Amino acid sequence: DSGVTQTPKHLITATGQRVTLRCSPRSGDLSVYWYQQSLDQGLQFLIQYYNGEERAKGNILERFSAQQFPDLHSELNLSSLELGDSALYFCASSAQGISYGYTFGSGTRLTVV
Amino acid sequence: DAKTTQPPSMDCAEGRAANLPCNHSTISGNEYVYWYRQIHSQGPQYIIHGLKNNETNEMASLIITEDRKSSTLILPHATLRDTAVYYCIVRVEGVGSGTYKYIFGTGTRLKVLA
């Protein structure tokens, strides 16, 4: 157990639907990061939150949004889902400071049918 | 953002040292080099990181060249369980406190052979 909890582990939904992925960071970590990994592809950085504020944005589609709540958990909302959104979605957290690494969760596998 | 370049794949005999190279020729002075690995579809696992000195922990050693343009991750005695994709990443500090991001490349797929 890495200390980063992602739910659900698996999600199957239809095209056009909306889903919410949840991430609880490791205790004490203020930063949360979301990554997308499509089949046999690398990890694509989506977005970062730090203590409730959006701090960095990557290749995140307009149909996707995220937020970090006062208790520091984060949610990634995916709407108008397309087949190509099927992927593993990872959340990671880190402590403050450039010398701290990320701790990744075990991911949510999203399948859009 | 600094970018990294790694060979797409490598093989290593079980029990031998695995040396995984990484080029980061555009690295800046305050950018750390991080190594992670991903086994199957699990979440990436932190291995080691460094700025300019060589580093060692219970998992691996990290050798960074003096000009910091390249580094090598060394797994001293590779086992079958070390078969994974290894990512070399440069972490960049952005604007404002707590603003960072990792840009993952395609990594090196290491296969440890029995």
Side-chain angles (χ1 to χ4, degrees):
Chain A
D1 182 10
S2 67
V4 177
T5 304
Q6 289 189 249
T7 57
K9 290 194 185 307
H10 301 276
L11 197 48
I12 301 175
T13 190
T15 53
Q17 295 298 305
R18 171 190 166 96
V19 298
T20 297
L21 312 183
R22 181 187 169 103
C23 169
S24 294
R26 198 177 55 164
S27 178
D29 287 353
L30 299 180
S31 284
V32 170
Y33 310 79
W34 287 97
Y35 283 83
Q36 178 193 54
Q37 187 173 36
S38 302
L39 186 63
D40 291 332
Q41 299 293 312
L43 289 103
Q44 299 293 319
F45 170 71
L46 296 178
I47 198 164
Q48 179 214 356
Y49 279 82
Y50 174 76
N51 202 21
E53 294 184 7
E54 181 185 306
R55 285 302 182 97
K57 225 168 184 176
N59 302 320
I60 187 166
L61 300 173
E62 286 190 9
R63 300 183 285 108
F64 296 0
S65 65
Q67 55 184 326
Q68 186 180 28
F69 295 87
D71 67 353
L72 300 178
H73 91 272
S74 178
E75 293 181 356
L76 178 67
N77 300 297
L78 316 176
S79 62
S80 302
L81 285 166
E82 302 174 359
L83 296 178
D85 297 327
S86 295
L88 272 167
Y89 291 84
F90 288 105
C91 166
S93 72
S94 73
Q96 184 178 0
I98 196 170
S99 66
Y100 289 96
Y102 289 10
T103 301
F104 281 84
S106 57
T108 293
R109 183 177 292 280
L110 173 67
T111 303
V112 182
V113 297
Chain B
D1 293 348
K3 298 274 192 289
T4 61
T5 305
Q6 299 176 254
S9 64
M10 291 181 64
D11 289 342
C12 177
E14 188 178 21
R16 304 297 293 270
N19 298 297
L20 292 92
C22 178
N23 288 321
H24 30 80
S25 57
T26 58
I27 195 170
S28 298
N30 66 340
E31 293 175 341
Y32 282 74
V33 179
Y34 285 78
W35 283 83
Y36 283 77
R37 71 181 183 184
Q38 187 176 26
I39 298 172
H40 297 301
S41 298
Q42 299 175 20
Q45 176 190 22
Y46 166 82
I47 301 173
I48 199 167
H49 74 279
L51 183 61
K52 51 185 174 182
N53 297 321
N54 297 338
E55 304 287 345
T56 296
N57 63 21
E58 64 278 3
M59 287 182 69
S61 295
L62 175 60
I63 308 297
I64 303 174
T65 58
E66 194 169 340
D67 63 8
R68 303 212 320 121
K69 292 186 176 182
S70 65
S71 61
T72 300
L73 177 75
I74 301 173
L75 307 179
H77 305 288
T79 71
L80 297 178
R81 287 180 295 180
D82 292 321
T83 293
V85 178
Y86 287 77
Y87 295 98
C88 166
I89 306 155
V90 174
R91 181 178 182 180
V92 180
E93 183 172 12
V95 177
S97 174
T99 302
Y100 313 108
K101 59 182 178 182
Y102 285 158
I103 304 298
F104 282 78
T106 52
T108 296
R109 189 173 295 273
L110 175 71
K111 183 185 262 189
V112 180
L113 306 172

